[in-house]
Amino acid sequence: MNLRKTRQGQAIRRVIAESGRPLSPAEIQEAAKHDIPSLGLATVYRVIKRMAEDGEVAAVQLPGEPPRYEDQRVAAKHHHHFHCNDCGRVFDVPGCPGGLDALTPPGFQVDHHELVLYGQCALCRREPTTS
Ligand SMILES: [Zn+2]
Ligand SMILES: [Zn+2]
């Protein structure tokens, strides 16, 4: 059976395409439940594994964190991530500060870099509304 063609597969693909940020399997399950209330976490893992093998999604691996997943088209464009310390969600940071050669010891060559920003997202920083 082609998992991608199932209702579950289509709902998961749509969630990932529309999220605009990397999602954990539990977040994908939660978002897809609007469409498919019975969707189980094991199915989410199975579909994501297949999508990763097919090159449709890429794993976002932050230090000390279980993998999250983003659309391969997003992953293909160099960017970085912001991890909210309060809600635990991860957001895309477009672009790159660059200039990292200045940090590199003389005679060394950088092939690749990771950059993660940590703090509070806009939603978590928002002042509680007074009623
Ligand atoms: Zn937050
Ligand atoms: Zn960069």
Short mmCIF file of all heavy atoms in Angstrom, two decimals, residues 76-113:
data_model
loop_
_atom_site.label_atom_id
_atom_site.label_comp_id
_atom_site.label_asym_id
_atom_site.label_seq_id
_atom_site.Cartn_x
_atom_site.Cartn_y
_atom_site.Cartn_z
N ALA A 76 16.09 22.71 1.71
CA ALA A 76 17.09 22.90 0.65
C ALA A 76 17.65 24.32 0.63
O ALA A 76 18.72 24.55 0.07
CB ALA A 76 16.47 22.55 -0.71
N LYS A 77 16.89 25.25 1.21
CA LYS A 77 17.35 26.64 1.23
C LYS A 77 18.01 26.91 2.58
O LYS A 77 17.36 26.78 3.62
CB LYS A 77 16.14 27.57 1.02
CG LYS A 77 16.51 28.90 0.42
CD LYS A 77 15.28 29.70 0.04
CE LYS A 77 15.70 31.11 -0.30
NZ LYS A 77 14.64 32.09 -0.16
N HIS A 78 19.28 27.30 2.57
CA HIS A 78 20.03 27.47 3.81
C HIS A 78 19.33 28.43 4.77
O HIS A 78 19.03 29.56 4.42
CB HIS A 78 21.44 27.99 3.47
CG HIS A 78 22.31 28.13 4.68
ND1 HIS A 78 22.88 27.04 5.31
CD2 HIS A 78 22.70 29.21 5.39
CE1 HIS A 78 23.60 27.46 6.34
NE2 HIS A 78 23.51 28.78 6.42
N HIS A 79 19.06 27.95 5.95
CA HIS A 79 18.42 28.78 6.97
C HIS A 79 18.74 28.21 8.35
O HIS A 79 19.39 27.16 8.45
CB HIS A 79 16.90 28.86 6.75
CG HIS A 79 16.19 27.55 6.99
ND1 HIS A 79 16.25 26.49 6.10
CD2 HIS A 79 15.43 27.12 8.02
CE1 HIS A 79 15.54 25.48 6.57
NE2 HIS A 79 15.02 25.82 7.75
N HIS A 80 18.27 28.89 9.40
CA HIS A 80 18.55 28.44 10.75
C HIS A 80 17.26 28.37 11.56
O HIS A 80 16.19 28.62 11.03
CB HIS A 80 19.59 29.36 11.39
CG HIS A 80 20.91 29.28 10.68
ND1 HIS A 80 21.72 28.17 10.76
CD2 HIS A 80 21.53 30.14 9.84
CE1 HIS A 80 22.79 28.36 10.03
NE2 HIS A 80 22.72 29.55 9.45
N HIS A 81 17.38 28.02 12.85
CA HIS A 81 16.19 27.77 13.65
C HIS A 81 16.23 28.50 14.99
O HIS A 81 17.30 28.79 15.52
CB HIS A 81 16.00 26.26 13.87
CG HIS A 81 15.70 25.53 12.61
ND1 HIS A 81 16.59 24.67 12.01
CD2 HIS A 81 14.61 25.58 11.81
CE1 HIS A 81 16.04 24.20 10.89
NE2 HIS A 81 14.85 24.74 10.74
N PHE A 82 15.04 28.79 15.49
CA PHE A 82 14.85 29.42 16.79
C PHE A 82 14.06 28.45 17.66
O PHE A 82 12.97 28.02 17.28
CB PHE A 82 14.07 30.73 16.62
CG PHE A 82 13.94 31.55 17.89
CD1 PHE A 82 14.67 32.72 18.05
CD2 PHE A 82 13.09 31.16 18.92
CE1 PHE A 82 14.55 33.48 19.21
CE2 PHE A 82 12.97 31.90 20.09
CZ PHE A 82 13.71 33.07 20.23
N HIS A 83 14.59 28.12 18.83
CA HIS A 83 13.92 27.18 19.74
C HIS A 83 13.36 27.97 20.91
O HIS A 83 14.11 28.61 21.66
CB HIS A 83 14.92 26.13 20.21
CG HIS A 83 14.29 25.01 20.97
ND1 HIS A 83 14.98 24.21 21.84
CD2 HIS A 83 13.03 24.54 20.97
CE1 HIS A 83 14.17 23.30 22.35
NE2 HIS A 83 12.98 23.48 21.85
N CYS A 84 12.04 27.94 21.09
CA CYS A 84 11.42 28.66 22.21
C CYS A 84 11.59 27.84 23.48
O CYS A 84 11.16 26.69 23.56
CB CYS A 84 9.95 28.92 21.94
SG CYS A 84 9.12 29.73 23.33
N ASN A 85 12.21 28.45 24.49
CA ASN A 85 12.45 27.76 25.76
C ASN A 85 11.16 27.54 26.56
O ASN A 85 11.13 26.71 27.46
CB ASN A 85 13.43 28.56 26.62
CG ASN A 85 14.84 28.51 26.06
OD1 ASN A 85 15.24 27.53 25.46
ND2 ASN A 85 15.59 29.59 26.25
N ASP A 86 10.12 28.32 26.25
CA ASP A 86 8.88 28.21 27.02
C ASP A 86 7.95 27.15 26.45
O ASP A 86 7.53 26.25 27.16
CB ASP A 86 8.16 29.56 27.06
CG ASP A 86 8.87 30.54 28.00
OD1 ASP A 86 9.92 30.16 28.56
OD2 ASP A 86 8.41 31.68 28.14
N CYS A 87 7.61 27.26 25.16
CA CYS A 87 6.65 26.31 24.59
C CYS A 87 7.33 25.15 23.88
O CYS A 87 6.67 24.18 23.52
CB CYS A 87 5.69 27.02 23.65
SG CYS A 87 6.45 27.71 22.17
N GLY A 88 8.64 25.25 23.64
CA GLY A 88 9.37 24.16 23.03
C GLY A 88 9.22 24.06 21.52
O GLY A 88 9.77 23.15 20.91
N ARG A 89 8.47 25.01 20.93
CA ARG A 89 8.33 24.97 19.48
C ARG A 89 9.60 25.50 18.81
O ARG A 89 10.33 26.30 19.38
CB ARG A 89 7.12 25.79 19.03
CG ARG A 89 5.81 25.14 19.39
CD ARG A 89 4.64 25.97 18.94
NE ARG A 89 4.61 27.26 19.63
CZ ARG A 89 3.68 28.19 19.41
NH1 ARG A 89 2.74 27.98 18.53
NH2 ARG A 89 3.72 29.32 20.08
N VAL A 90 9.83 25.02 17.58
CA VAL A 90 10.98 25.46 16.80
C VAL A 90 10.47 26.22 15.58
O VAL A 90 9.51 25.78 14.92
CB VAL A 90 11.85 24.26 16.37
CG1 VAL A 90 12.94 24.68 15.40
CG2 VAL A 90 12.47 23.60 17.61
N PHE A 91 11.10 27.36 15.31
CA PHE A 91 10.69 28.22 14.20
C PHE A 91 11.85 28.39 13.22
O PHE A 91 13.02 28.27 13.60
CB PHE A 91 10.28 29.60 14.73
CG PHE A 91 9.13 29.55 15.70
CD1 PHE A 91 9.36 29.33 17.06
CD2 PHE A 91 7.83 29.68 15.26
CE1 PHE A 91 8.30 29.26 17.97
CE2 PHE A 91 6.77 29.61 16.15
CZ PHE A 91 7.01 29.41 17.51
N ASP A 92 11.52 28.70 11.98
CA ASP A 92 12.55 28.98 10.99
C ASP A 92 13.09 30.39 11.18
O ASP A 92 12.33 31.32 11.43
CB ASP A 92 11.96 28.88 9.58
CG ASP A 92 11.81 27.43 9.14
OD1 ASP A 92 12.33 26.54 9.85
OD2 ASP A 92 11.18 27.21 8.10
N VAL A 93 14.38 30.52 11.04
CA VAL A 93 15.03 31.83 10.96
C VAL A 93 15.55 31.95 9.54
O VAL A 93 16.42 31.18 9.14
CB VAL A 93 16.21 31.94 11.95
CG1 VAL A 93 16.93 33.26 11.78
CG2 VAL A 93 15.71 31.77 13.38
N PRO A 94 15.00 32.87 8.75
CA PRO A 94 15.44 32.97 7.36
C PRO A 94 16.86 33.52 7.28
O PRO A 94 17.26 34.36 8.08
CB PRO A 94 14.44 33.93 6.72
CG PRO A 94 13.90 34.73 7.87
CD PRO A 94 13.98 33.86 9.09
N GLY A 95 17.60 33.02 6.33
CA GLY A 95 18.92 33.58 6.06
C GLY A 95 19.97 33.18 7.08
O GLY A 95 19.77 32.28 7.89
N CYS A 96 21.08 33.87 7.02
CA CYS A 96 22.29 33.48 7.75
C CYS A 96 23.15 34.71 7.95
O CYS A 96 23.29 35.51 7.03
CB CYS A 96 23.04 32.45 6.90
SG CYS A 96 24.60 31.93 7.60
N PRO A 97 23.71 34.89 9.17
CA PRO A 97 24.55 36.07 9.37
C PRO A 97 25.84 36.01 8.56
O PRO A 97 26.42 37.06 8.24
CB PRO A 97 24.85 36.04 10.88
CG PRO A 97 24.65 34.62 11.29
CD PRO A 97 23.58 34.08 10.39
N GLY A 98 26.31 34.82 8.25
CA GLY A 98 27.54 34.69 7.47
C GLY A 98 28.75 35.21 8.23
O GLY A 98 28.71 35.41 9.44
N GLY A 99 29.83 35.41 7.52
CA GLY A 99 31.04 35.95 8.12
C GLY A 99 31.70 35.01 9.11
O GLY A 99 32.48 35.44 9.97
N LEU A 100 31.39 33.72 9.04
CA LEU A 100 31.91 32.78 10.03
C LEU A 100 33.39 32.45 9.82
O LEU A 100 34.04 31.91 10.71
CB LEU A 100 31.07 31.50 10.04
CG LEU A 100 29.61 31.74 10.44
CD1 LEU A 100 28.80 30.46 10.30
CD2 LEU A 100 29.50 32.27 11.86
N ASP A 101 33.90 32.82 8.67
CA ASP A 101 35.34 32.61 8.44
C ASP A 101 36.17 33.36 9.48
O ASP A 101 37.27 32.94 9.84
CB ASP A 101 35.73 33.10 7.04
CG ASP A 101 35.25 32.13 5.97
OD1 ASP A 101 34.85 31.00 6.34
OD2 ASP A 101 35.27 32.50 4.79
N ALA A 102 35.61 34.47 9.99
CA ALA A 102 36.34 35.28 10.97
C ALA A 102 36.53 34.51 12.27
O ALA A 102 37.45 34.81 13.04
CB ALA A 102 35.58 36.58 11.23
N LEU A 103 35.67 33.54 12.56
CA LEU A 103 35.79 32.74 13.78
C LEU A 103 36.72 31.54 13.61
O LEU A 103 37.07 30.87 14.58
CB LEU A 103 34.40 32.20 14.19
CG LEU A 103 33.31 33.18 14.53
CD1 LEU A 103 32.00 32.43 14.77
CD2 LEU A 103 33.68 33.96 15.77
N THR A 104 37.03 31.22 12.39
CA THR A 104 37.72 29.97 12.09
C THR A 104 39.23 30.13 12.30
O THR A 104 39.82 31.10 11.83
CB THR A 104 37.43 29.58 10.63
OG1 THR A 104 36.02 29.58 10.43
CG2 THR A 104 37.98 28.20 10.31
N PRO A 105 39.84 29.20 13.04
CA PRO A 105 41.29 29.30 13.27
C PRO A 105 42.05 29.32 11.94
O PRO A 105 41.62 28.70 10.97
CB PRO A 105 41.61 28.02 14.06
CG PRO A 105 40.31 27.59 14.66
CD PRO A 105 39.25 28.04 13.71
N PRO A 106 43.17 30.03 11.93
CA PRO A 106 43.97 30.09 10.70
C PRO A 106 44.34 28.69 10.22
O PRO A 106 44.70 27.84 11.02
CB PRO A 106 45.23 30.87 11.14
CG PRO A 106 44.82 31.61 12.37
CD PRO A 106 43.76 30.79 13.03
N GLY A 107 44.22 28.47 8.93
CA GLY A 107 44.58 27.18 8.35
C GLY A 107 43.45 26.17 8.37
O GLY A 107 43.57 25.10 7.79
N PHE A 108 42.32 26.49 9.06
CA PHE A 108 41.18 25.59 9.09
C PHE A 108 40.22 25.95 7.97
O PHE A 108 40.18 27.09 7.52
CB PHE A 108 40.43 25.69 10.43
CG PHE A 108 41.14 25.05 11.60
CD1 PHE A 108 42.47 25.36 11.89
CD2 PHE A 108 40.49 24.17 12.43
CE1 PHE A 108 43.13 24.79 12.98
CE2 PHE A 108 41.13 23.59 13.52
CZ PHE A 108 42.44 23.90 13.80
N GLN A 109 39.40 24.97 7.59
CA GLN A 109 38.37 25.24 6.59
C GLN A 109 37.02 24.77 7.09
O GLN A 109 36.89 23.62 7.52
CB GLN A 109 38.71 24.51 5.28
CG GLN A 109 37.64 24.74 4.20
CD GLN A 109 37.82 23.80 3.03
OE1 GLN A 109 38.88 23.78 2.42
NE2 GLN A 109 36.81 22.99 2.75
N VAL A 110 36.02 25.64 7.04
CA VAL A 110 34.66 25.29 7.45
C VAL A 110 33.93 24.67 6.26
O VAL A 110 33.90 25.25 5.18
CB VAL A 110 33.88 26.53 7.93
CG1 VAL A 110 32.44 26.16 8.26
CG2 VAL A 110 34.56 27.16 9.13
N ASP A 111 33.34 23.49 6.49
CA ASP A 111 32.53 22.86 5.44
C ASP A 111 31.05 23.10 5.65
O ASP A 111 30.26 23.01 4.72
CB ASP A 111 32.77 21.34 5.43
CG ASP A 111 34.16 20.98 4.94
OD1 ASP A 111 34.73 21.76 4.15
OD2 ASP A 111 34.67 19.93 5.36
N HIS A 112 30.67 23.39 6.89
CA HIS A 112 29.26 23.31 7.25
C HIS A 112 29.11 23.99 8.60
O HIS A 112 30.03 23.98 9.40
CB HIS A 112 28.93 21.81 7.35
CG HIS A 112 27.66 21.49 8.03
ND1 HIS A 112 26.45 21.58 7.40
CD2 HIS A 112 27.39 21.09 9.31
CE1 HIS A 112 25.49 21.23 8.26
NE2 HIS A 112 26.03 20.95 9.41
N HIS A 113 27.96 24.59 8.87
CA HIS A 113 27.75 25.13 10.21
C HIS A 113 26.29 24.98 10.62
O HIS A 113 25.40 24.87 9.78
CB HIS A 113 28.18 26.59 10.31
CG HIS A 113 27.33 27.53 9.52
ND1 HIS A 113 27.65 27.95 8.25
CD2 HIS A 113 26.14 28.12 9.81
CE1 HIS A 113 26.71 28.76 7.80
NE2 HIS A 113 25.77 28.88 8.72
#
